[in-house]
């Protein structure tokens, strides 16, 4: 009997690594953060929890109460779900953070002001407003630029300097029953100058002379 060639060993090894990768990825817990009665709870959940079901989350996930300052994080590498009731809490949790896979659920009937939330590196956004009006969850794929990964490695020091994909979410989108819309502007060296009417952008400290892919979600 001929011994198996080194080539097939290599192939089996590669398949094994691939399978392991898929397995661990499927097993990865998601992060759920919710604010309720002035407390912030941060949870690690192995399953998807029905939107805004706080007691189920406390039961099914591993949760702890965190102080507002302690929750300030600049990047989330895994799936992040946030249940929120107003923009101030959401701004505190998310403004100028790096998140790839984000789900936002509005858990109140509040009307939200037109205010923008800046997120770096967003690939997929899901939005749910079930507490406000009964519409199905919406999903938006913003980019799948895999090659940009190394540039977006979250480092606390460099942070936004390495951000290539910049998304602006209009908070007022949660008031509407219409479909999520977005448009992206690629390689615009100076976004603020290309959108003179969008003077608000100029107040964002990150928009300098750099090349970003900027996406507006509204
Ligand atoms: C994953 O979530 C479960 C609860 O759903 C929790 O018991 C477990 O500790 C979490 N694992 C990690 C690594 O956080
Ligand atoms: C995010 O930060 C910018 C700049 O400080 C601010 O103008 C904006 O209102 C903040 N967005 C939210 C939702 O808090
Ligand atoms: C971009 O940078 C160059 C020099 O680095 C500067 O002269 C120019 O004014 C900048 N443009 C804007 C819009 O900031």
């Amino acid at each position: 009997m001929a011994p198996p060639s080194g080539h097939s060993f290599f192939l089996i090894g590669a398949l094994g690594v691939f399978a392991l990768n898929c397995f661990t990825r499927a097993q990865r817990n998601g992060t759920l953060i919710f604010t309720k009665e002035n407390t912030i709870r941060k949870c690690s959940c192995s399953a998807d929890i029905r939107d805004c079901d706080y007691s189920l989350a406390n039961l099914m996930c591993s949760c702890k109460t965190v102080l507002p300052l302690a929750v300030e994080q600049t990047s989330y590498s895994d799936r992040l779900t946030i249940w929120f009731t107003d923009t101030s809490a959401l701004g505190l949790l998310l403004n100028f953070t790096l998140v790839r896979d984000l789900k936002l659920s509005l858990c109140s009937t509040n009307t939200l002001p037109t205010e923008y939330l800046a997120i770096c590196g967003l690939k997929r956004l899901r939005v749910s407003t079930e507490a406000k009006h009964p519409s199905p969850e919406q999903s938006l794929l913003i980019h799948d630029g895999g090659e940009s990964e190394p540039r977006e490695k979250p480092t606390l020091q460099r942070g936004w300097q390495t951000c290539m994909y910049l998304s602006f979410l209009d908070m007022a989108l949660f008031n509407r029953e219409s479909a999520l819309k977005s448009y992206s502007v690629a390689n615009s060296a100076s976004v603020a100058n290309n959108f003179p009417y969008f003077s608000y952008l100029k107040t964002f400290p990150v928009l300098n002379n750099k090349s970003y892919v900027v996406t507006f979600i509204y």
Side-chain angles (χ1 to χ4, degrees):
M1 224 203 284
S5 72
H7 190 83
S8 61
F9 266 131
F10 172 76
L11 190 66
I12 290 167
L15 283 174
V17 168
F18 178 71
L20 193 68
N21 243 334
C22 291
F23 181 70
T24 49
R25 202 172 279 187
Q27 290 296 105
R28 265 292 260 298
N29 279 7
T31 301
L32 165 69
I33 299 177
F34 60 86
T35 54
K36 194 168 184 258
E37 282 139 21
N38 296 324
T39 60
I40 301 174
R41 299 274 287 164
K42 188 173 181 181
C43 310
S44 177
C45 308
S46 57
D48 268 343
I49 307 295
R50 191 170 60 232
D51 287 334
C52 311
D53 193 335
Y54 302 100
S55 38
L56 192 64
N58 283 319
L59 197 68
M60 302 280 291
C61 308
S62 158
C63 301
K64 57 176 191 283
T65 299
V66 291
L67 295 169
L69 279 178
V71 86
E72 267 185 34
Q73 195 171 329
T74 54
S75 74
Y76 296 90
S77 51
D78 50 2
R79 272 177 304 126
L80 175 67
T81 301
I82 297 196
W83 296 347
F84 69 104
T85 53
D86 59 83
T87 49
S88 59
L90 194 66
L92 180 73
L93 289 170
L94 269 191
N95 217 358
F96 298 103
T97 57
L98 190 155
V99 191
R100 297 190 201 293
D101 189 340
L102 176 66
K103 176 170 174 181
L104 294 176
S105 299
L106 176 65
C107 297
S108 73
T109 54
N110 293 346
T111 296
L112 305 184
T114 289
E115 208 179 330
Y116 288 83
L117 187 69
I119 296 176
C120 168
L122 192 60
K123 287 188 170 179
R124 187 168 73 127
L125 173 72
R126 286 176 297 153
V127 160
S128 161
T129 53
E130 220 183 293
K132 200 172 160 71
H133 30 71
S135 46
E137 176 181 310
Q138 298 193 61
S139 178
L140 198 65
L141 190 67
I142 295 143
H143 77 89
D144 54 5
E147 34 68 52
S148 68
E149 294 280 331
R151 283 188 61 181
E152 279 183 25
K153 272 279 181 311
T155 54
L156 284 172
Q157 298 77 24
R158 290 163 69 219
W160 279 71
Q161 296 311 307
T162 59
C163 184
M164 240 191 103
Y165 292 93
L166 193 50
S167 295
F168 290 98
L169 270 74
D170 180 357
M171 291 291 96
L173 72 86
F174 289 92
N175 304 330
R176 302 190 266 268
E177 288 187 61
S178 54
L180 268 186
K181 293 181 281 297
S182 75
Y183 68 91
S184 296
V185 185
N187 297 327
S188 76
S190 176
V191 177
N193 287 351
N194 289 342
F195 297 95
Y197 60 91
F198 201 69
S199 57
Y200 175 81
L201 269 182
K202 293 191 171 123
T203 67
F204 277 81
V206 290
L207 293 171
N208 48 30
N209 228 342
K210 229 174 76 172
S211 239
Y212 294 99
V213 177
V214 175
T215 302
F216 299 95
I217 303 166
Y218 57 104

